[in-house]
Amino acid sequence: MKILVPVKRAIDYKVKVHVKSDESGVELTNVKMSMNPFDEIAIEEATKLKESGQATEIIAVSIGSDKAQETIRTAMAIGADRGILVKTDAPTDLGGVEPLAVAKTLKALIEKETPDLVIMGKQSIDDDSNQTGQMLAALLGWPQATFASEVKIESGKAVVTREIDGGLETISVNTPAIITTDLRLNEPRYASLPNIMKAKKKPLDVITPEELGVDFSPRLKVLKVSEPAKRQAGIIVDSVDALIDKLKNEAKVIG
Amino acid sequence: MTILVIAEHNNSKIKASTLNTVAAAKNIGGEIHILVAGANCGEVATQASNIDGISTVLKADAPHLEHHLAENLSALIVKNADKYSHILAPGSTFGKNVMPRVAALLDVQQVSDVIEVINESTFKHPVYGGQAIATVESTDGKKVLTVRTTGFDAVPVDGGSASIEDIITTSAFGLSSFVSIEESKSERPELGSAKIVISGGRGVGSKEDFKIIEDLADKLGGAVGASRAAVDAGYVPNDYQVGQTGKVVAPNLYMAIGISGAIQHLAGMKDSKVIVAINKDEEAPIFQVADYGLVADLFDAVPELIKKL
Ligand SMILES: Cc1cc2nc3c(=O)[nH]c(=O)nc-3n(C[C@H](O)[C@H](O)[C@H](O)COP(=O)(O)OP(=O)(O)OC[C@H]3O[C@@H](n4cnc5c(N)ncnc54)[C@H](O)[C@@H]3O)c2cc1C
Ligand SMILES: Nc1ncnc2c1ncn2[C@@H]1O[C@H](COP(=O)(O)O)[C@@H](O)[C@H]1O
């Protein structure tokens, strides 16, 4: 079984975001970037499937700038066998390559690579779209299992437990299928130094969107990116009694 | 201009999130239709017909629509999409699962988590975990949107008298099937729409001790929420998680107890009307967004609160 894992280079989850003063976007120069956390979970899951003998090859794919090669190398240090970068200078967070374009790119690659399974993140923590996996499944005419917290591969099927608003739902999808990861699927490992070294030697192809025949022109015009409304600083109360008094008599949120 | 809202329901009751989504549709303007797709969902169609502001209910009642599998539901929506300028669904796991599929089949770039309608093609939505708000104009012919429910006040459940139209359903996709559901059952109000939410974090320390959070919630008639750390540690089920990648809530009162206030948690609760933080670390970032902070050990403060309320 061949698994394809799309991995995105995104702002590190610990970074506090600053909106640019001209409201054109958020400040990304000299900001720490990492692999989107949900994609780490995806590559970990694929690696586990390979370690248990259920998968034979893992291909990591990223759409982004030259720097996204680092993200692919990280995926290789965890377990990907080879990588493909679809190189673009367009931003991948806002006003550039949008989920629909990413899905079309991945579809073109999937038609060449014919994987049996695609495991990807449920959401990028920069654009917060939560769209690409579902779009890709639709374009391919494949079934989808989103927000996975458990994946079991059985002959020609994936049985997936999904984190939904009301609890946990289990569905069964025929492969090939798209699976998107939720937080509880696994805990990604730290890549070991030897594996980081080995990753440097694994094959990484760099191609262009034109070679795949996909069009990256955005459909959404980003008119402005602004700061959210700031909350007024509150007060520190010194006792439970004072807190109850404030909630009853000042905020009037309890009876 | 006619707008289609996809109803979220469990085949017997329409979910509150649908009412917020209708509110967003009203802000766009135009006639509003609502799709009730499910199995034996006649009761839901009747409820939908009573919602204020709806002119037509499209009812698709078929066994393969019972569990809202994305493949089956998206095919149905796309088949019936022609006459609509906008298609909206709640930004819950229900809407997030199905709508991008609809968008891709229509060759449309979806706008996720709309919090404000500027005009029929321009919308605001949060990005970067709510640390920035993007205003975007969609250039696609049709607009496919998911709606952040906390951004719009629910429309009344009654006052409407829409007609109900049975529509021809598409057939089952066949490559996916429902296996089972483990619903977290609770007598408490639904987290997403509760007026009071009491949340506990890693500081609560164990599943057993989480009971004091639940007791406080019950005393106040509120819902229970949690940080990711509390869910990961198994104190509470996954659907209690509040945050960037969990549920977004905006109750009148939100209490964060033993929660540090990471960016990802704040993303899910910082639009609450009144925020209370109880934390023994006075440096905890949660105090920067709290209206009322109490620096205390939660094992002292919470039992005292329960006693005195
Ligand atoms: C991709 C990604 C997505 C994420 N999504 C979410 C999300 O949706 N929601 C979310 O919440 N998090 C999310 N997180 C995790 C987030 O970054 C934090 O790790 C998490 O919110 C921390 O939870 P916490 O505040 O309970 O734990 P901690 O940060 O460990 O804080 C515990 C707090 O409890 C206090 N405390 C301890 N004992 C006591 C006591 N006896 N009395 C009073 N106070 C006490 C401590 O002072 C501390 O402030 C996400 C992370 C990533 C990488
Ligand atoms: N530029 C990209 N390169 C590779 N994978 C991506 C890219 N954008 C999105 N993805 C994948 O799609 C998932 C969901 O992203 P999104 O729809 O943007 O929230 C991510 O977790 C990635 O797995």
Side-chain angles (χ1 to χ4, degrees), chain A residues 5-9 36 38-39 42 61-64 92 97-99 102 106 119-134 180-181:
Chain A
V5 182
V7 292
K8 183 176 183 180
R9 180 173 184 267
N36 183 44
F38 288 100
D39 306 354
V61 177
S62 195
I63 294 136
T92 52
V97 197
E98 295 166 341
V102 174
L106 293 172
I119 310 181
M120 55 202 286
K122 79 163 180 183
Q123 177 176 345
S124 312
I125 62 163
D126 48 9
D127 61 56
D128 280 335
S129 297
N130 197 329
Q131 297 179 15
T132 309
Q134 298 87 315
T180 76
T181 61

Side-chain angles (χ1 to χ4, degrees), chain A residues 13-14 36-38 41 123 125 183-184, chain B residues 200-205 226-230 232 235 241-247 254 257-268 278-286 294-300:
Chain A
Y13 80 97
K14 289 205 183 78
N36 183 44
F38 288 100
I41 298 173
Q123 177 176 345
I125 62 163
L183 294 169
R184 260 69 61 180
Chain B
R202 197 197 309 268
V204 179
S227 69
R228 171 190 175 180
D232 284 3
Y235 306 167
Q241 182 181 310
V242 170
Q244 179 181 12
T245 61
K247 287 203 173 96
Y254 186 89
I257 303 173
I259 292 177
S260 61
I263 294 166
Q264 292 81 14
H265 189 77
L266 301 185
I278 301 178
N279 196 303
K280 67 178 181 190
D281 173 10
E282 62 181 330
E283 304 280 305
I286 190 74
L294 179 62
V295 182
D297 190 308
L298 71 94
F299 294 106
D300 298 327

Side-chain angles (χ1 to χ4, degrees), chain A residues 141-145 157-158 162 170-178, chain B residues 64 67-74 97 101 172-179:
Chain A
W142 288 9
Q144 68 185 49
K157 282 188 184 344
R162 309 178 52 232
T170 303
I171 61 171
S172 170
V173 292
N174 287 27
T175 53
I178 308 288
Chain B
H64 72 280
H67 300 289
H68 300 141
L69 287 171
E71 298 79 5
N72 296 343
L73 187 52
S74 59
N97 188 43
R101 216 173 157 108
F173 178 76
L175 300 176
S176 57
S177 59
F178 170 84
V179 176

Side-chain angles (χ1 to χ4, degrees), chain B residues 51-170:
Chain B
I51 296 175
D52 183 49
I54 307 287
S55 66
T56 306
V57 177
L58 306 183
K59 177 167 147 256
D61 203 328
H64 72 280
L65 296 172
E66 180 177 1
H67 300 289
H68 300 141
L69 287 171
E71 298 79 5
N72 296 343
L73 187 52
S74 59
L76 175 77
I77 295 169
V78 169
K79 173 97 185 288
N80 288 281
D82 278 359
K83 62 178 173 203
Y84 297 106
S85 56
H86 297 71
I87 307 177
L88 279 67
S92 53
T93 53
F94 162 79
K96 285 185 168 147
N97 188 43
V98 68
M99 292 303 267
R101 216 173 157 108
V102 170
L105 293 172
L106 295 171
D107 196 33
V108 168
Q109 176 52 54
Q110 170 183 308
V111 182
S112 295
D113 288 316
V114 171
I115 54 168
E116 197 180 321
V117 173
I118 308 292
N119 60 42
E120 61 182 63
S121 49
T122 308
F123 312 95
K124 284 193 183 184
H125 72 131
V127 291
Y128 285 95
Q131 297 181 87
I133 307 293
T135 306
V136 299
E137 182 186 337
S138 162
T139 60
D140 285 313
K142 276 189 205 306
K143 322 296 180 202
V144 175
L145 314 173
T146 61
V147 172
R148 173 149 307 180
T149 53
T150 54
F152 301 88
D153 290 332
V155 298
V157 288
D158 51 17
S161 57
S163 57
I164 301 178
E165 193 182 298
D166 275 297
I167 56 169
I168 296 169
T169 64
T170 41

